[in-house]
Amino acid sequence: MDRPLPSLRASLDDFLAQLATLQYRHASGLSPDLPVRELYEDSPEISSLEAFAAATEAVPKARAKGDLLGVRRLQLLRDFIATQVEEALAAPAAEAVAQLEARSRLSVDDQTLSLGEALGQLPHEPGRGRRAVLESATGGFLWDNRGRYGERREACFRVAERLGASSYLALREDVSGIELQKLSEAAAETLRRTEDAYRDVLGYVLKKVEPTLRSLPSGNARRHDLQAGSQIPWLSGFFRREDEWPLVIRWLTEWGFHPSAHGRIRIDDEERPGKASRPFTAAVRVPDEVRLVVRKSAGLDALGSLLHEYGHALHHAHVSEQLPLELRRLGDASVTEAFATLFERLLTQEEWLKRYVRLPSATARDASRMAAFQGLTVLRRHCAKLPYELSLYTRGPSPERAEEYADAQRRALFVESHPGFFLFDVDPQLYVTRYLRAWALETRFTTQLTARFNEDWWRNPAAGRWLQGFFGRGGTDDAEALAQEISGMALTLPEAGDRLVALLDR
């Protein structure tokens, strides 16, 4: 390949469109398979070792010329290529896992369910005995098939060797610019600072699920109890399935956003078997074709998931068409996750809940605190996942990691987790780091929005236009650069935990 970077750039947009289409069809229930192997075989330039080497050599040259935008584009390409080399190596295992899950049949009492159906039912099951059966069935299935999931994780060691890195963690640090040890220390500090508030509200939530439930170490609460409690079932009557979509559309319209971004966002809300239980966004062409897959559900958690994915969709649909390809199509995932979380965190705003969900004041106060608890639970879960995943990618996916995973989750959440999830509850390429930085960035955005546009910034069209300005920049800036720009300070993860604790303590 004589000119690897031009060749890669020429096919990048079409490749990402095809990949997003495959992911959309799989998540929407249109296809039980995820045939990515053929896509990678047909696009060798996407995972070209020569392209990675060329981009690496070009970075210092661009930096010496003072071409900061060129440096940014090359950095994004290096991260993208490294990811695609891994994904190409993992494609056979990823296809096998997708087929395994699509064709899975789990016996649950008098039902036969797929893995996805069982996982989707579990948080919404009111009976503790039934939840225990579902957790045992799903965890047992994952444990029995740990070899398949382990094959996917093993690809990380091969990509490090292919790209000449001393280790997988060194490779991810190099291409992402994220200091893993520093972030791991911040995660540990976040766990320490949020523990008391989390445990206090956890006790309240568990008692709401079942009066005799107690958290660890004195009680016997399990992860499925926390999942059920995080659905906030005692408020379910206020978050009806048929109301959630119209209220989100009403809010966006009043705020000055076109709900479909003038046709760029295509909504798939059709009910069909095999459709993912949670909303999903697929950026097929940015900004012109963004697919938002929705399976309408009831509850506070379902509304939060819808808001989260709408944040992703609106971000992608408002990226400037004038940007260079890399800045339009690639970027620090922490940024888009921050925008998605910004939308999701609206559920912690009492006035938003009263205006759009039409909740009474006392109910809005309870719902906003429970939304903060949901956020804190997810934050603590991921703070515990980071050191576990650093160990996983150092020592490999052996069965010994299962107890390590369960212990980390136990200490963070104070409930017992099934060890069978130790390879399933892992996103590729240390995506956990993107989530953690996103939550820190979202805290900065919320602070700035409040300072600029007051507490009800979410109904001020000027605030929407301010956000659209950041949407339009695509991948131009990473999370650190945006944090410095809007606040003059570096990202600080414990700040995100402190803000959620403050919302709980109101």
Side-chain angles (χ1 to χ4, degrees):
M1 192 178 295
D2 296 330
R3 304 181 67 212
L5 287 183
S7 177
L8 185 151
R9 286 180 167 124
S11 59
L12 177 62
D13 198 32
D14 285 342
F15 170 81
L16 288 174
Q18 293 176 64
L19 180 61
T21 299
L22 290 176
Q23 292 168 337
Y24 158 70
R25 289 184 56 79
H26 182 65
S28 65
L30 292 170
S31 171
D33 299 323
L34 188 59
V36 292
R37 177 167 30 179
E38 183 177 346
L39 177 60
Y40 280 103
E41 290 173 350
D42 290 343
S43 310
E45 67 281 1
I46 292 296
S47 55
S48 161
L49 304 185
E50 293 81 7
F52 185 80
T56 300
E57 292 173 7
V59 169
K61 296 177 183 178
R63 189 172 283 125
K65 295 178 181 178
D67 182 6
L68 298 182
L69 198 60
V71 171
R72 177 65 180 156
R73 293 170 65 185
L74 289 164
Q75 289 171 334
L76 290 172
L77 278 178
R78 291 185 76 245
D79 194 348
F80 171 77
I81 298 166
T83 294
Q84 300 316 312
V85 171
E86 180 181 342
E87 291 298 307
L89 289 170
E95 280 194 13
V97 166
Q99 292 172 0
L100 174 73
E101 293 178 357
R103 293 162 175 76
S104 58
R105 294 294 178 266
L106 282 63
S107 296
V108 181
D109 291 336
D110 57 346
Q111 285 185 298
T112 300
L113 304 172
S114 69
L115 177 67
E117 289 170 335
L119 290 172
Q121 278 189 19
L122 196 153
H124 305 284
E125 174 56 53
R128 188 166 193 253
R130 170 79 173 180
R131 286 200 308 275
V133 172
L134 285 164
E135 184 181 77
S136 177
T138 52
F141 173 86
L142 294 171
W143 178 259
D144 291 343
N145 291 282
R146 62 190 181 277
R148 290 282 182 88
Y149 291 92
E151 289 172 7
R152 169 63 187 88
R153 304 300 164 215
E154 289 283 0
C156 69
F157 298 102
R158 288 184 284 154
V159 70
E161 181 180 352
R162 289 276 183 97
L163 295 178
S166 59
S167 70
Y168 183 69
L169 299 186
L171 174 65
R172 293 316 310 173
E173 278 198 321
D174 175 36
V175 299
S176 70
I178 299 172
E179 298 179 49
L180 298 177
Q181 184 58 39
K182 182 178 178 181
L183 186 58
S184 185
E185 291 168 359
E189 176 64 17
T190 302
L191 286 171
R192 284 192 292 270
R193 282 161 61 162
T194 60
E195 180 174 320
D196 289 344
Y198 169 78
R199 293 190 73 176
D200 285 347
V201 183
L202 174 64
Y204 168 78
V205 169
L206 290 177
K207 286 182 181 179
K208 281 283 193 178
V209 173
E210 187 172 310
T212 59
L213 270 179
R214 299 291 184 273
S215 64
L216 301 180
S218 57
N220 65 342
R222 296 193 59 86
R223 172 101 171 255
H224 66 73
D225 296 314
L226 175 58
Q227 290 175 291
S230 294
Q231 300 302 309
I232 323 299
W234 59 95
L235 294 179
S236 60
F238 294 97
F239 295 89
R240 301 188 307 168
R241 179 179 184 271
E242 61 268 28
D243 295 337
E244 295 194 344
W245 187 260
L247 74 85
V248 170
I249 298 301
R250 182 165 68 92
W251 161 61
L252 287 172
T253 303
E254 289 184 7
W255 199 25
F257 279 87
H258 192 285
S260 72
H262 302 285
R264 293 190 294 276
I265 300 174
R266 305 182 187 182
I267 311 296
D268 178 354
D269 60 356
E270 181 181 333
E271 292 294 325
R272 64 176 71 91
K275 195 172 193 180
S277 60
R278 300 180 74 86
F280 174 82
T281 303
V284 179
R285 299 279 183 183
V286 176
D288 296 322
E289 185 181 347
V290 180
R291 295 184 181 272
L292 177 55
V293 179
V294 178
R295 190 171 186 174
K296 295 179 181 177
S297 303
L300 180 67
D301 181 64
L303 179 55
S305 296
L306 176 58
L307 288 167
H308 184 101
E309 289 305 317
Y310 231 130
H312 281 308
L314 286 169
H315 174 214
H316 294 313
H318 286 88
V319 169
S320 171
E321 295 177 330
Q322 306 307 314
L323 287 173
L325 177 63
E326 299 95 326
L327 304 184
R328 182 163 43 86
R329 281 303 247 159
L330 309 178
D332 177 2
S334 298
V335 174
T336 190
E337 292 294 349
F339 293 136
T341 304
L342 181 71
F343 279 37
E344 184 179 354
R345 292 284 189 266
L346 288 170
L347 297 183
T348 66
Q349 303 271 349
E350 290 180 48
E351 293 304 317
W352 191 92
L353 290 165
K354 287 194 284 188
R355 182 178 180 86
Y356 293 106
V357 190
R358 296 190 171 96
L359 298 183
S361 294
T363 306
R365 169 64 60 91
D366 193 18
S368 68
R369 290 185 73 246
M370 290 302 97
F373 173 74
Q374 288 175 335
L376 186 56
T377 300
V378 175
L379 173 61
R380 288 182 60 84
R381 174 173 158 249
H382 283 75
C383 282
K385 281 178 62 178
L386 177 56
Y388 161 70
E389 291 191 16
L390 297 183
S391 174
L392 173 67
Y393 288 125
T394 301
R395 302 177 183 180
S398 64
E400 289 78 11
R401 302 286 79 72
E403 182 50 39
E404 190 175 345
Y405 164 80
D407 183 60
Q409 292 297 301
R410 187 184 300 124
R411 286 183 284 109
L413 301 178
F414 296 96
V415 295
E416 195 66 52
S417 295
H418 196 297
F421 285 82
F422 79 112
L423 297 176
F424 180 80
D425 190 19
V426 175
D427 294 311
Q429 291 91 45
L430 283 172
Y431 200 85
V432 60
T433 62
R434 310 293 185 166
Y435 282 129
L436 293 174
R437 293 163 73 253
W439 296 325
L441 180 59
E442 178 274 327
T443 300
R444 293 291 170 80
F445 266 111
T446 297
T447 299
Q448 286 299 309
L449 283 162
T450 302
R452 289 169 178 265
F453 305 105
N454 297 321
E455 295 285 344
D456 62 346
W457 54 264
W458 36 264
R459 58 182 294 195
N460 186 337
R465 291 191 294 272
W466 185 76
L467 269 181
Q468 282 189 36
F470 289 100
F471 290 175
R473 287 154 63 169
T476 303
D477 304 294
D478 65 10
E480 286 285 357
L482 282 177
Q484 286 285 357
E485 178 181 340
I486 66 177
S487 69
M489 297 182 293
L491 284 178
T492 307
L493 180 60
E495 202 174 88
D498 292 344
R499 174 168 168 258
L500 291 169
V501 168
L503 291 170
L504 288 174
D505 290 342
R506 286 177 305 186

